[in-house]
Amino acid sequence: MQKWEDIAAQVAKGARLDEEQALVLWREAPLWRLAELAVARKREVSGDKVFYNKNFHVEPTNVCVFNCKFCSFRRPKGSPEAWDMSMEQVEELVRSFEGSGVTEVHIVGGVHPEHDIYYYCDMIRKVKSILPSVAVKAFTAIELSYMIRKASLSVEEGLKLLIDAGMDAIPGGGAEIFDEKIRAEICPDKGSTAEWFEVHEAAHKLGIKTNATILYGHIEGLEHRVDHLMRLRRLQDKTGGFNAFIPLKYRNFGNSMSAIGEVPIVDDLRTLAMSRLILDNVPHIKAYWVMYGKQTTEMALAFGADDIDGTIDDSTKIYSMAGADDSRPRMSVEQMREMVARAGFRAVERDTLYNEIG
């Protein structure tokens, strides 16, 4: 087995990590060396730039047919804490952002048992009718698989309907952890790893860019994280369709896995750095500030992240319901630019496809 020092030296020269090397580096390399390697790789991709955008979320419902053990967002139908926005409520929310300069609306929610693909196509059309220049990044692969199967369509047919309605990109959620045994323990009734990959590969073939995620810090081991990243790297080698990778930290408030606790910040930073080093073919690594909190996000920029997401404007509840630091998450452009500058980088506004704005 190679020593971490030798592996690090190879990575510094541009070598691609295999699974065994990645595990050695992840477990044994000191934090400063991972930071050094990850920032060097980040600079090769995006120089001194760190990206942000002006965005908001629509979370139409937290009613969900699945009951994942790690989820603090889901409520069963009929629960006093459940919501199911009407199309009029969605319209009211979207209209509140007219004239705000937002460039993206991010639509994700629970997998509602009664809403089909035609309902969500109508929702996208409604958004586009109000904000025609805004990119719609919508629905996790798990949501998409369910709504498409419910309509008895093929994945390709369903995606084409959504594209025709105005869907511009797909977020990376629902990936959780790809190892089937771990997945069976934490989300046994959820869409499978194979379904997640089927949707993303089909989207890439249709020219739709997508993101990818991992949910880490629960019952998985480092070997499961490495396996997860390697599976993503293999699909990216094949299709080139991923824009960004977002490591998502398990937060333990209000779900049935709460006794597990949360991993420390050092683990977050190592995960970010190793994501940057393993995913040498994915352009961007995002430190999602709503999930990490603002202080950890600023530190993340010293570990290979080159994106912090966007303004949000108190439009998402997924992580606040799980105990994240900001119960009403919002950041101004000025705050984001100051954060990036403090970390020694240059803040650049982007659109959904990473075209620079201004």
Side-chain angles (χ1 to χ4, degrees):
M1 183 179 294
Q2 286 181 286
K3 295 180 179 179
W4 74 261
E5 294 93 338
D6 296 331
I7 298 168
Q10 292 170 15
V11 170
K13 294 177 181 178
R16 172 172 265 199
L17 289 165
D18 64 27
E19 291 197 32
E20 183 179 323
Q21 291 170 326
L23 279 168
V24 171
L25 201 61
W26 202 322
R27 287 174 175 150
E28 299 181 15
L31 191 61
W32 66 266
R33 186 58 170 141
L34 290 183
E36 190 175 65
L37 291 168
V39 169
R41 182 64 57 84
K42 171 256 182 283
R43 288 188 181 278
E44 290 173 8
V45 175
S46 51
D48 67 344
K49 301 171 186 175
V50 169
F51 297 98
Y52 69 91
N53 70 343
K54 296 174 185 171
N55 64 344
F56 71 98
H57 288 222
V58 176
E59 294 168 353
T61 185
N62 66 341
V63 175
C64 190
V65 296
F66 304 125
N67 190 14
C68 303
K69 294 179 181 179
F70 56 78
C71 185
S72 307
F73 179 76
R74 181 257 189 194
R75 296 294 184 273
K77 188 175 180 181
S79 165
E81 295 178 311
W83 71 80
D84 186 9
M85 295 173 70
S86 66
M87 205 65 80
E88 290 73 25
Q89 288 172 314
V90 171
E91 180 177 353
E92 182 181 0
L93 172 59
V94 174
R95 286 197 183 281
S96 72
F97 286 91
E98 286 184 297
S100 66
V102 296
T103 61
E104 176 184 287
V105 55
H106 181 121
I107 309 176
V108 297
V111 180
H112 196 285
E114 297 165 13
H115 296 166
D116 62 16
I117 193 169
Y118 303 104
Y119 174 88
Y120 289 113
C121 284
D122 288 344
M123 184 178 293
I124 292 172
R125 291 190 188 96
K126 178 65 69 176
V127 171
K128 287 284 195 174
S129 72
I130 299 166
L131 299 174
S133 64
V134 165
V136 174
K137 185 171 73 180
F139 314 121
T140 69
I142 303 304
E143 292 173 87
L144 290 166
S145 180
Y146 184 88
M147 69 176 74
I148 290 169
R149 285 188 291 108
K150 189 175 178 67
S152 299
L153 299 171
S154 70
V155 170
E156 183 179 354
E157 289 169 338
L159 290 176
K160 284 181 176 178
L161 278 182
L162 291 158
I163 292 166
D164 289 344
M167 183 182 74
D168 298 287
I170 295 172
E176 321 313 356
I177 200 81
F178 291 143
D179 181 87
E180 286 79 0
K181 290 182 180 178
I182 300 294
R183 197 177 186 90
E185 290 189 48
I186 65 173
C187 50
D189 57 350
K190 193 170 196 166
S192 67
T193 295
E195 283 181 66
W196 192 95
F197 275 100
E198 180 187 16
V199 170
H200 282 267
E201 183 168 358
H204 296 172
K205 288 179 180 177
L206 291 171
I208 292 292
K209 292 291 187 180
T210 75
N211 290 341
T213 62
I214 186 174
L215 182 71
Y216 72 90
H218 42 89
I219 65 171
E220 90 291 355
L222 290 187
E223 68 276 14
H224 302 119
R225 297 188 204 178
V226 170
D227 168 70
H228 189 102
L229 294 166
M230 291 295 181
R231 296 195 203 199
L232 290 173
R233 194 173 76 179
R234 287 193 291 272
L235 181 57
Q236 184 73 341
D237 279 342
K238 182 178 180 181
T239 67
F242 290 121
N243 254 342
F245 175 71
I246 308 102
L248 297 175
K249 177 177 184 170
Y250 166 68
R251 305 302 296 253
N252 75 332
F253 179 79
N255 58 64
S256 64
M257 291 169 55
S258 293
I260 290 173
E262 296 179 3
V263 296
I265 290 174
V266 168
D267 197 345
D268 300 330
L269 301 178
R270 295 183 81 87
T271 299
L272 282 157
M274 289 303 303
S275 297
R276 178 64 288 167
L277 296 176
I278 294 171
L279 294 175
D280 52 16
N281 56 0
V282 175
H284 305 287
I285 303 294
K286 181 184 293 188
Y288 183 40
W289 73 261
V290 176
M291 178 267 297
Y292 280 129
K294 294 167 186 171
Q295 289 184 328
T296 301
T297 298
E298 188 171 326
M299 285 190 284
L301 301 182
F303 289 84
D306 73 342
D307 189 285
I308 57 174
D309 203 74
T311 46
I312 303 294
D313 202 21
D314 189 24
S315 58
T316 178
K317 294 182 173 65
I318 291 173
Y319 266 96
S320 59
M321 290 173 72
D325 296 344
D326 288 277
S327 59
R328 302 190 65 182
R330 55 163 52 92
M331 261 214 285
S332 68
V333 168
E334 291 73 22
Q335 287 174 314
M336 288 190 290
R337 295 184 72 87
E338 288 169 4
M339 172 192 288
V340 172
R342 284 194 302 269
F345 295 98
R346 178 166 59 95
V348 175
E349 184 181 355
R350 62 164 176 85
D351 66 13
T352 297
L353 300 179
Y354 285 86
N355 298 304
E356 296 180 19
I357 297 174

